Amino acid sequence: ERDLLTVGEALVSLRSPGPLAAGGPLTMHLAGAESNVAIGLARLGHRAAWVGRVSDDELGEFVLRQLRAEGVDTAGVRRDPDRPTGLMFLERRTADVSRVRYHRAGSAGAALCVDDLRAPLAAGARLLHLSGITPALSDSARDAATWAVRTAAESGIPVCLDVNYRAGLWSRERARATLAPLAGCASVIVASTDELDLVAEPDADENAAVADLLRRGVRAVLVKLGADGARAHTADGVRHVPAVPVTAVDTVGAGDAFTAGYLSGYLDGLDLVDRLRRAVALGAFAVAGHGDWEGLPRRDELSLITGSAAG
Ligand code: KDG
């Protein structure tokens, strides 16, 4: 059986080492929150499948080749003959500040629909992962994400929902209207502190949001705190783990790495604190290297920056 099924849009990211307006070389990479999570799990030896739509051209082929090279199962992917792969430009504006610009409206990935997900979900998995990006892409993608979360929950497949709010895609009000009802079907919610009110009442603080989510059946609420580590709230209370101190060179993909680490720990049967330790360890690998996912560890590399704790 597959360990993880994740659903989303994979993008081609074009990275510029300086201001885009000044031109210069761009390098081509695979990006996308869900494909990052799938790669994070596959690198650790889990059987991860990614589903989404890709264009039926060179860029779609690039996305699939990258995923296959990382050992991600792409059997359920549909090639869309009419629509392009979404692009993301990432410019390094200063040493610390990067800026993202999307060219993804009308993309193949955004045309995701319920029919694309029926067979992949029927094939089963130990976990379903989704981010709040997918339902923001289009009406059909929102329906597909909602259908997948509800169907998985009804068939007893635990769902991990990473809020992943993207202000460039939708307003906080629209995000809340879609994500708050969905959150009640999830077993695990991943959020940063400023995203918690998107899955609860408007203006809810952390404790109020967590209380609401646990009451609605969520088993664990994971709050990412960046350089301060992470907190996990469950019915048994709250646990905190510090971050692994590393030199951060690129924070893009850190949240996806965190989620992959937590889910890997879950699949390995680790207890809550050890899952969190693996989550912050993967986050550390992500921020210590360039790229969304390129720096993520294989299992034998986990101890490289963490001692034995996360291994
Ligand atoms: O989490 C990293 C993502 O932001 C990136 O890979 C692109 O999925 C992406 C998005 O929509 O922002």
Side-chain angles (χ1 to χ4, degrees):
E1 196 192 4
R2 289 178 312 189
D3 293 319
L4 175 99
L5 174 64
T6 181
V7 177
E9 176 174 22
L11 301 165
V12 166
S13 124
L14 298 168
R15 286 180 167 244
S16 160
L20 264 180
L26 296 171
T27 52
M28 182 167 159
H29 306 265
L30 171 68
E34 301 78 13
S35 47
N36 292 344
V37 169
I39 291 171
L41 283 158
R43 286 241 175 133
L44 293 175
H46 302 284
R47 284 157 304 185
W50 176 84
V51 181
R53 275 194 191 209
V54 302
S55 57
D56 198 10
D57 61 4
E58 282 64 31
L59 294 188
E61 190 60 27
F62 169 77
V63 166
L64 290 178
R65 284 172 64 106
Q66 294 287 99
L67 287 169
R68 289 189 194 122
E70 292 296 332
V72 174
D73 175 352
T74 57
V77 172
R78 281 208 181 161
R79 310 284 301 250
D80 187 318
D82 303 318
R83 298 180 182 83
T85 288
L87 302 179
M88 178 176 121
F89 288 88
L90 204 122
E91 62 176 331
R92 190 162 279 265
R93 199 57 195 77
T94 73
D96 301 322
V97 179
S98 291
R99 209 157 42 179
V100 167
R101 193 174 296 278
Y102 296 126
H103 288 246
R104 70 196 299 182
S107 67
L112 183 80
C113 68
V114 172
D115 265 348
D116 296 345
L117 303 183
R118 290 187 199 278
L121 206 61
R126 288 174 64 195
L127 284 170
L128 175 73
H129 166 265
L130 262 132
S131 89
I133 296 172
T134 307
L137 299 176
S138 68
D139 290 349
S140 73
R142 184 199 56 222
D143 293 348
T146 304
W147 179 85
V149 167
R150 296 233 154 93
T151 306
E154 280 161 17
S155 31
I157 300 174
V159 175
C160 172
L161 176 68
D162 183 353
V163 178
N164 248 336
Y165 176 64
R166 294 288 180 273
L169 297 177
W170 55 355
S171 68
R172 296 185 75 85
E173 291 66 36
R174 286 189 50 225
R176 184 180 301 107
T178 296
L179 298 178
L182 269 193
C185 297
S187 295
V188 180
I189 298 283
V190 183
S192 45
T193 43
D194 60 352
E195 289 175 336
L196 279 168
D197 74 303
L198 298 178
V199 281
E201 294 293 314
D203 302 322
D205 66 11
E206 182 167 329
N207 286 335
V210 166
D212 181 36
L213 290 164
L214 296 180
R215 186 182 48 73
R216 291 160 65 204
V218 175
R219 306 287 295 274
V221 182
L222 312 181
V223 184
K224 297 175 290 182
L225 304 169
D228 292 327
R231 272 193 288 275
H233 299 265
T234 67
D236 295 331
V238 54
R239 306 298 300 260
H240 171 261
V241 299
V244 179
V246 288
T247 304
V249 299
D250 177 4
T251 57
V252 179
D256 307 327
F258 174 91
T259 300
Y262 182 89
L263 295 178
S264 165
Y266 169 90
L267 290 163
D268 283 351
L270 302 186
D271 69 19
L272 183 69
V273 168
D274 283 340
R275 291 177 203 173
L276 277 184
R277 289 207 178 106
R278 189 172 290 174
V280 298
L282 254 68
F285 273 98
V287 302
H290 290 281
D292 270 36
W293 51 268
E294 284 85 339
L296 295 181
R298 295 188 313 265
R299 196 169 278 260
D300 61 307
E301 295 175 319
L302 274 175
S303 58
L304 270 180
I305 61 170
T306 58
S308 58

XYZ file of all heavy atoms in Angstrom, residues 90-174:
637
model
N 11.073 33.366 -9.134
C 11.575 33.649 -7.799
C 12.834 34.487 -7.948
O 13.833 34.021 -8.507
C 11.897 32.329 -7.112
C 11.863 32.424 -5.612
C 10.858 31.429 -5.083
C 13.213 32.106 -5.031
N 12.772 35.723 -7.511
C 13.948 36.594 -7.646
C 14.539 36.856 -6.275
O 13.828 37.141 -5.317
C 13.598 37.922 -8.335
C 12.603 38.763 -7.589
C 12.338 40.124 -8.227
O 13.229 40.668 -8.892
O 11.219 40.635 -8.028
N 15.847 36.745 -6.192
C 16.524 37.115 -4.957
C 16.746 38.618 -5.021
O 17.489 39.120 -5.850
C 17.834 36.347 -4.822
C 18.465 36.491 -3.456
C 19.491 35.403 -3.224
N 18.876 34.146 -2.803
C 18.746 33.768 -1.537
N 19.169 34.543 -0.565
N 18.193 32.621 -1.246
N 16.027 39.349 -4.151
C 16.045 40.809 -4.243
C 17.144 41.395 -3.365
O 17.788 42.369 -3.713
C 14.653 41.321 -3.836
C 14.306 42.722 -4.261
C 14.417 42.902 -5.764
N 14.433 44.320 -6.127
C 15.509 45.097 -5.993
N 16.609 44.630 -5.493
N 15.445 46.368 -6.355
N 17.333 40.794 -2.189
C 18.489 41.100 -1.339
C 18.968 39.753 -0.811
O 18.347 38.723 -1.069
C 18.121 41.992 -0.128
O 17.399 41.183 0.813
C 17.271 43.188 -0.524
N 20.039 39.762 -0.031
C 20.555 38.504 0.507
C 19.458 37.779 1.299
O 19.404 36.557 1.324
C 21.770 38.757 1.384
N 18.578 38.534 1.958
C 17.579 37.914 2.830
C 16.179 37.887 2.240
O 15.308 37.210 2.772
C 17.472 38.686 4.159
C 18.793 38.731 4.880
O 19.502 37.718 4.838
O 19.111 39.791 5.450
N 15.924 38.677 1.221
C 14.551 38.813 0.740
C 14.418 38.251 -0.678
O 15.122 38.684 -1.594
C 14.098 40.300 0.736
C 12.677 40.424 0.197
C 14.204 40.895 2.134
N 13.510 37.289 -0.817
C 13.184 36.772 -2.144
C 11.752 37.150 -2.461
O 10.920 37.281 -1.563
C 13.322 35.253 -2.179
O 14.669 34.898 -2.076
N 11.469 37.324 -3.732
C 10.117 37.713 -4.127
C 9.599 36.720 -5.156
O 10.336 36.276 -6.027
C 10.162 39.114 -4.727
C 8.908 39.878 -4.544
C 9.071 41.365 -4.623
N 9.955 41.834 -5.687
C 10.193 43.125 -5.900
N 9.643 44.045 -5.147
N 10.991 43.492 -6.880
N 8.304 36.380 -5.023
C 7.691 35.369 -5.885
C 6.648 36.027 -6.764
O 5.882 36.881 -6.315
C 6.995 34.299 -4.999
C 6.087 33.424 -5.833
C 8.022 33.449 -4.273
N 6.627 35.640 -8.035
C 5.561 36.098 -8.926
C 5.039 34.876 -9.691
O 5.818 34.124 -10.265
C 6.115 37.141 -9.892
C 5.070 37.893 -10.644
C 5.702 39.007 -11.453
N 6.339 40.015 -10.602
C 5.670 41.003 -10.004
N 4.387 41.128 -10.169
N 6.313 41.881 -9.258
N 3.731 34.688 -9.657
C 3.134 33.527 -10.315
C 2.661 33.848 -11.728
O 2.145 34.931 -11.971
C 1.887 33.055 -9.566
C 2.107 32.538 -8.169
C 1.375 33.073 -7.111
C 2.971 31.495 -7.918
C 1.528 32.581 -5.827
C 3.126 31.006 -6.630
C 2.406 31.558 -5.588
O 2.548 31.073 -4.323
N 2.793 32.897 -12.633
C 2.089 32.915 -13.913
C 1.374 31.576 -13.983
O 1.897 30.627 -14.575
C 3.082 33.054 -15.074
C 3.688 34.406 -15.169
N 3.451 35.251 -16.212
C 4.507 35.066 -14.328
C 4.109 36.387 -16.015
N 4.757 36.299 -14.875
N 0.255 31.463 -13.303
C -0.374 30.150 -13.172
C -1.872 30.178 -13.444
O -2.485 29.112 -13.454
C -0.079 29.575 -11.799
C -0.780 30.292 -10.654
C -0.205 29.991 -9.294
N -0.269 28.583 -8.908
C 0.161 28.132 -7.720
N 0.682 28.961 -6.834
N 0.085 26.866 -7.434
N -2.464 31.364 -13.652
C -3.907 31.396 -13.933
C -4.161 30.621 -15.225
O -3.435 30.776 -16.205
C -4.378 32.838 -14.074
N -5.170 29.759 -15.223
C -5.501 29.002 -16.430
C -4.542 27.857 -16.713
O -4.541 27.272 -17.800
N -3.724 27.485 -15.740
C -2.740 26.419 -15.956
C -3.405 25.040 -15.952
O -4.555 24.884 -15.527
C -1.697 26.465 -14.846
O -2.308 26.128 -13.617
N -2.635 24.053 -16.412
C -3.106 22.665 -16.350
C -3.395 22.283 -14.905
O -4.434 21.688 -14.597
C -2.045 21.736 -16.953
N -2.488 22.654 -14.003
C -2.658 22.289 -12.593
C -3.935 22.852 -12.004
O -4.601 22.204 -11.185
N -4.292 24.079 -12.431
C -5.490 24.727 -11.884
C -6.767 24.095 -12.421
O -7.843 24.300 -11.862
C -5.468 26.221 -12.204
N -6.666 23.317 -13.507
C -7.860 22.682 -14.091
C -8.188 21.351 -13.406
O -9.106 20.638 -13.829
C -7.662 22.475 -15.587
N -7.455 21.029 -12.355
C -7.737 19.811 -11.581
C -9.230 19.705 -11.280
O -9.870 20.713 -10.962
C -6.963 19.890 -10.258
C -7.072 18.692 -9.332
C -6.129 17.595 -9.812
C -6.713 19.092 -7.895
N -9.778 18.490 -11.403
C -11.201 18.323 -11.083
C -11.413 16.979 -10.367
O -10.498 16.154 -10.289
C -12.057 18.424 -12.342
S -11.799 17.042 -13.451
N -12.619 16.795 -9.857
C -12.928 15.603 -9.054
C -12.569 14.327 -9.813
O -11.987 13.399 -9.240
C -14.418 15.595 -8.650
C -14.790 14.272 -7.983
C -14.728 16.760 -7.706
N -12.891 14.281 -11.105
C -12.639 13.059 -11.883
C -11.169 12.657 -11.888
O -10.851 11.478 -11.973
C -13.117 13.245 -13.331
C -14.526 12.700 -13.502
O -14.997 12.002 -12.568
O -15.136 12.974 -14.550
N -10.281 13.655 -11.799
C -8.844 13.361 -11.794
C -8.445 12.566 -10.554
O -7.395 11.927 -10.533
C -8.018 14.656 -11.799
C -8.217 15.489 -13.056
O -8.764 14.958 -14.034
O -7.821 16.673 -13.048
N -9.270 12.659 -9.504
C -8.855 12.111 -8.206
C -9.537 10.799 -7.847
O -9.137 10.147 -6.881
C -9.123 13.146 -7.102
C -8.444 14.505 -7.317
C -8.711 15.419 -6.128
C -6.940 14.328 -7.517
N -10.584 10.418 -8.618
C -11.334 9.221 -8.220
C -10.451 7.979 -8.163
O -10.402 7.289 -7.146
C -12.500 8.974 -9.183
C -13.595 10.009 -9.057
C -14.808 9.628 -9.912
N -15.642 10.795 -10.147
C -16.537 11.260 -9.271
N -16.721 10.636 -8.133
N -17.228 12.346 -9.542
N -9.753 7.678 -9.249
C -8.936 6.453 -9.282
C -7.778 6.516 -8.282
O -7.565 5.561 -7.525
C -8.437 6.195 -10.704
N -7.040 7.637 -8.230
C -5.936 7.678 -7.256
C -6.404 7.477 -5.812
O -5.744 6.796 -5.034
C -5.352 9.084 -7.448
C -5.688 9.451 -8.849
C -7.024 8.819 -9.119
N -7.554 8.045 -5.472
C -8.015 7.890 -4.094
C -8.539 6.474 -3.847
O -8.312 5.892 -2.776
C -9.095 8.936 -3.776
C -9.196 9.293 -2.305
C -7.886 9.895 -1.800
C -10.328 10.286 -2.063
N -9.194 5.901 -4.872
C -9.706 4.535 -4.723
C -8.554 3.549 -4.532
O -8.721 2.498 -3.908
C -10.544 4.151 -5.947
N -7.377 3.879 -5.054
C -6.213 2.987 -4.915
C -5.715 2.931 -3.470
O -4.944 2.044 -3.113
C -5.092 3.433 -5.848
N -6.126 3.893 -2.645
C -5.818 3.839 -1.218
C -4.450 4.390 -0.870
O -3.565 4.524 -1.718
N -4.300 4.749 0.392
C -3.035 5.261 0.923
C -3.192 5.317 2.436
O -4.315 5.360 2.941
C -2.731 6.654 0.379
N -2.066 5.319 3.134
C -2.154 5.423 4.599
C -2.465 6.845 5.039
O -2.959 7.062 6.143
C -0.841 4.951 5.241
C -0.649 3.438 5.149
C 0.715 3.007 5.655
N 0.886 3.281 7.084
C 2.068 3.270 7.705
N 3.161 3.001 7.024
N 2.139 3.525 8.994
N -2.160 7.821 4.188
C -2.378 9.236 4.525
C -2.732 10.014 3.259
O -2.191 9.717 2.194
C -1.078 9.868 5.031
C -0.571 9.597 6.428
C 0.847 10.157 6.540
C -1.482 10.250 7.448
N -3.579 11.016 3.417
C -3.811 11.981 2.329
C -3.285 13.336 2.787
O -3.586 13.771 3.902
C -5.305 12.094 2.008
C -5.656 13.158 0.965
C -5.224 12.717 -0.439
C -7.160 13.469 0.964
N -2.497 13.972 1.944
C -1.998 15.316 2.262
C -2.516 16.315 1.238
O -2.548 16.019 0.041
C -0.460 15.322 2.230
C 0.137 16.701 2.205
N 0.498 17.343 1.045
C 0.417 17.557 3.211
C 0.986 18.540 1.342
N 0.949 18.696 2.640
N -2.925 17.469 1.727
C -3.346 18.555 0.845
C -2.890 19.867 1.442
O -2.773 19.973 2.668
C -4.876 18.603 0.777
C -5.487 17.924 -0.422
C -6.596 17.042 0.027
C -6.008 18.972 -1.380
N -2.665 20.845 0.600
C -2.396 22.165 1.165
C -3.517 23.100 0.766
O -4.279 22.836 -0.167
C -1.045 22.702 0.680
O -1.215 23.419 -0.508
N -3.607 24.203 1.481
C -4.617 25.208 1.189
C -4.353 25.930 -0.119
O -5.152 26.789 -0.518
N -3.282 25.597 -0.808
C -3.034 26.213 -2.117
C -3.998 25.620 -3.156
O -4.606 26.353 -3.943
C -1.572 25.998 -2.557
C -0.619 26.708 -1.587
C -1.360 26.508 -3.985
C 0.857 26.393 -1.813
N -4.160 24.298 -3.133
C -4.948 23.632 -4.187
C -6.375 24.185 -4.297
O -6.807 24.524 -5.397
C -4.912 22.108 -3.974
O -3.539 21.719 -3.865
C -5.554 21.363 -5.128
N -7.126 24.310 -3.189
C -8.483 24.838 -3.348
C -8.529 26.306 -3.773
O -9.592 26.810 -4.144
C -9.120 24.651 -1.962
C -8.007 24.402 -1.028
C -6.875 23.836 -1.821
N -7.392 26.989 -3.738
C -7.361 28.401 -4.162
C -7.213 28.540 -5.669
O -7.335 29.630 -6.210
C -6.197 29.116 -3.470
N -6.932 27.437 -6.377
C -6.512 27.554 -7.778
C -7.651 27.843 -8.737
O -7.476 28.561 -9.716
C -5.790 26.271 -8.211
C -4.505 25.947 -7.426
C -3.943 24.610 -7.881
C -3.480 27.061 -7.601
N -8.815 27.247 -8.485
C -9.973 27.420 -9.380
C -11.178 26.801 -8.689
O -11.026 26.098 -7.691
C -9.742 26.696 -10.713
O -9.743 25.283 -10.500
N -12.359 27.013 -9.255
C -13.556 26.395 -8.671
C -13.464 24.878 -8.742
O -13.796 24.172 -7.790
C -14.823 26.864 -9.397
C -15.119 28.331 -9.091
O -14.482 28.890 -8.178
O -15.980 28.907 -9.784
N -12.984 24.349 -9.889
C -12.947 22.887 -10.019
C -11.882 22.295 -9.098
O -12.070 21.213 -8.538
C -12.714 22.471 -11.474
O -11.383 22.710 -11.870
N -10.781 23.013 -8.895
C -9.740 22.524 -7.984
C -10.251 22.569 -6.540
O -9.946 21.680 -5.736
C -8.472 23.347 -8.135
N -11.034 23.606 -6.227
C -11.611 23.674 -4.875
C -12.559 22.498 -4.656
O -12.525 21.834 -3.616
C -12.350 24.997 -4.681
C -12.901 25.178 -3.260
C -13.982 26.236 -3.227
N -15.035 25.893 -4.175
C -15.645 26.754 -4.992
N -15.339 28.023 -4.962
N -16.568 26.339 -5.842
N -13.389 22.215 -5.655
C -14.314 21.085 -5.518
C -13.544 19.768 -5.399
O -13.928 18.889 -4.628
C -15.254 21.014 -6.728
C -16.205 22.197 -6.762
O -16.288 22.921 -5.750
O -16.857 22.407 -7.811
N -12.470 19.645 -6.160
C -11.683 18.412 -6.128
C -11.027 18.224 -4.759
O -11.052 17.133 -4.181
C -10.614 18.451 -7.227
N -10.456 19.311 -4.239
C -9.793 19.221 -2.935
C -10.811 18.877 -1.847
O -10.570 18.021 -0.989
C -9.086 20.543 -2.621
N -11.951 19.533 -1.914
C -13.001 19.292 -0.914
C -13.481 17.849 -1.000
O -13.622 17.158 0.022
C -14.171 20.272 -1.152
O -13.645 21.602 -1.111
C -15.254 20.113 -0.110
N -13.697 17.379 -2.211
C -14.151 15.995 -2.408
C -13.121 15.011 -1.860
O -13.469 14.050 -1.165
C -14.407 15.740 -3.892
C -14.840 14.340 -4.181
C -16.110 13.842 -4.120
C -13.980 13.243 -4.540
N -16.097 12.503 -4.415
C -14.816 12.108 -4.675
C -12.612 13.118 -4.758
C -14.309 10.847 -5.026
C -12.107 11.874 -5.097
C -12.943 10.751 -5.230
N -11.857 15.254 -2.151
C -10.805 14.328 -1.719
C -10.724 14.267 -0.193
O -10.646 13.185 0.399
C -9.460 14.748 -2.307
N -10.779 15.421 0.441
C -10.669 15.453 1.910
C -11.874 14.735 2.535
O -11.724 13.900 3.430
C -10.572 16.909 2.406
C -10.783 16.995 3.913
C -9.210 17.497 2.017
N -13.067 15.027 2.032
C -14.271 14.405 2.601
C -14.267 12.903 2.361
O -14.587 12.118 3.259
C -15.528 15.017 1.959
C -15.673 16.489 2.258
C -17.052 16.808 2.854
N -16.960 18.019 3.672
C -17.213 19.232 3.228
N -17.606 19.407 1.987
N -17.088 20.278 4.028
N -13.911 12.499 1.138
C -13.941 11.068 0.799
C -12.916 10.300 1.617
O -13.196 9.204 2.123
C -13.676 10.883 -0.710
O -14.620 11.689 -1.422
C -13.825 9.440 -1.135
N -11.723 10.862 1.765
C -10.695 10.191 2.567
C -11.176 10.060 4.012
O -11.099 8.982 4.608
C -9.383 10.969 2.504
N -11.686 11.155 4.556
C -12.119 11.125 5.959
C -13.217 10.081 6.152
O -13.205 9.319 7.124
C -12.591 12.506 6.394
N -14.144 10.009 5.195
C -15.241 9.027 5.323
C -14.715 7.594 5.235
O -15.292 6.687 5.831
C -16.288 9.250 4.225
C -17.229 10.393 4.547
C -17.949 10.925 3.305
O -17.970 10.207 2.263
O -18.471 12.050 3.373
N -13.635 7.388 4.478
C -13.130 6.013 4.383
C -12.018 5.730 5.394
O -11.300 4.742 5.272
C -12.695 5.682 2.951
O -12.231 6.813 2.283
N -11.855 6.622 6.362
C -10.934 6.348 7.458
C -9.467 6.614 7.128
O -8.588 6.172 7.851
N -9.197 7.325 6.028
C -7.808 7.695 5.710
C -7.511 9.033 6.405
O -8.180 10.028 6.126
C -7.604 7.849 4.184
C -7.927 6.536 3.470
C -6.193 8.316 3.870
C -7.881 6.637 1.950
N -6.530 9.062 7.293
C -6.232 10.330 7.955
C -5.765 11.389 6.954
O -4.994 11.091 6.042
C -5.101 9.987 8.934
C -5.065 8.504 9.018
C -5.664 7.971 7.758
N -6.253 12.610 7.149
C -5.931 13.719 6.247
C -5.046 14.717 6.975
O -5.333 15.093 8.116
C -7.221 14.434 5.787
C -6.881 15.660 4.947
C -8.129 13.481 5.020
N -3.982 15.144 6.301
C -3.153 16.241 6.805
C -3.408 17.452 5.915
O -3.192 17.389 4.710
C -1.680 15.854 6.758
S -0.574 17.237 7.131
N -3.882 18.529 6.525
C -4.136 19.772 5.783
C -3.145 20.834 6.238
O -3.138 21.231 7.409
C -5.574 20.253 6.027
C -5.946 21.589 5.378
C -5.981 21.473 3.859
C -7.307 22.078 5.889
N -2.303 21.264 5.315
C -1.358 22.348 5.592
C -1.986 23.626 5.053
O -2.243 23.729 3.853
C -0.029 22.037 4.896
C 1.035 23.082 5.188
O 0.719 24.108 5.818
O 2.177 22.874 4.762
N -2.247 24.587 5.924
C -3.024 25.778 5.525
C -2.343 26.525 4.376
O -2.996 26.907 3.413
C -3.241 26.714 6.729
C -4.006 27.964 6.298
C -3.995 25.982 7.838
N -1.048 26.757 4.460
C -0.282 27.330 3.341
C -1.003 28.481 2.645
O -1.210 28.450 1.423
C -0.022 26.226 2.310
C 1.443 25.856 2.233
O 2.307 26.653 2.581
N 1.724 24.650 1.783
N -1.368 29.505 3.382
C -2.095 30.628 2.789
C -1.206 31.377 1.793
O -0.074 31.734 2.107
C -2.576 31.581 3.890
C -3.243 32.809 3.335
C -4.428 32.698 2.611
C -2.678 34.070 3.490
C -5.034 33.816 2.070
C -3.276 35.194 2.956
C -4.455 35.059 2.243
O -5.049 36.163 1.696
N -1.722 31.608 0.600
C -0.996 32.371 -0.411
C -1.823 33.597 -0.779
O -2.840 33.501 -1.481
C -0.764 31.521 -1.666
C 0.172 30.330 -1.462
C 1.628 30.782 -1.286
N 2.541 29.660 -1.100
C 2.837 29.090 0.060
N 2.262 29.529 1.172
N 3.688 28.101 0.142
N -1.380 34.760 -0.290
C -2.138 35.992 -0.487
C -2.272 36.338 -1.968
O -3.208 37.035 -2.361
C -1.461 37.138 0.266
N -1.368 35.854 -2.796
C -1.442 36.136 -4.226
C -2.565 35.380 -4.920
O -2.876 35.663 -6.083
N -3.148 34.406 -4.234
C -4.163 33.564 -4.877
C -5.584 33.878 -4.417
O -6.528 33.732 -5.184
C -3.870 32.087 -4.613
C -2.556 31.558 -5.199
C -2.346 30.104 -4.815
C -2.557 31.702 -6.717
N -5.746 34.244 -3.151
C -7.099 34.559 -2.654
C -7.015 35.374 -1.382
O -5.971 35.455 -0.742
C -7.961 33.301 -2.499
C -7.421 32.172 -1.640
C -6.185 32.098 -1.049
C -8.107 30.954 -1.305
N -6.067 30.917 -0.377
C -7.223 30.194 -0.511
C -9.365 30.426 -1.593
C -7.576 28.933 -0.007
C -9.695 29.187 -1.091
C -8.815 28.457 -0.305
N -8.175 35.993 -1.027
C -8.223 36.821 0.178
C -8.326 35.923 1.410
O -8.682 34.747 1.309
C -9.443 37.736 0.124
O -10.620 36.948 0.231
N -8.048 36.475 2.573
C -8.185 35.697 3.816
C -9.635 35.261 4.023
O -9.893 34.162 4.489
C -7.707 36.516 5.020
C -6.217 36.849 4.973
C -5.759 37.546 6.241
N -5.635 36.616 7.361
C -4.543 35.878 7.599
N -3.493 35.966 6.829
N -4.509 35.046 8.632
N -10.573 36.119 3.636
C -11.995 35.788 3.840
C -12.386 34.589 2.969
O -13.052 33.664 3.423
C -12.888 36.999 3.497
C -12.775 38.155 4.474
C -11.390 38.830 4.462
O -10.765 38.928 3.368
O -10.929 39.252 5.544
N -11.957 34.622 1.709
C -12.294 33.493 0.824
C -11.588 32.230 1.281
O -12.156 31.142 1.255
C -11.944 33.828 -0.629
C -12.939 34.822 -1.243
C -12.720 34.995 -2.745
N -12.640 33.714 -3.440
C -11.722 33.411 -4.367
N -10.820 34.306 -4.707
N -11.738 32.236 -4.946
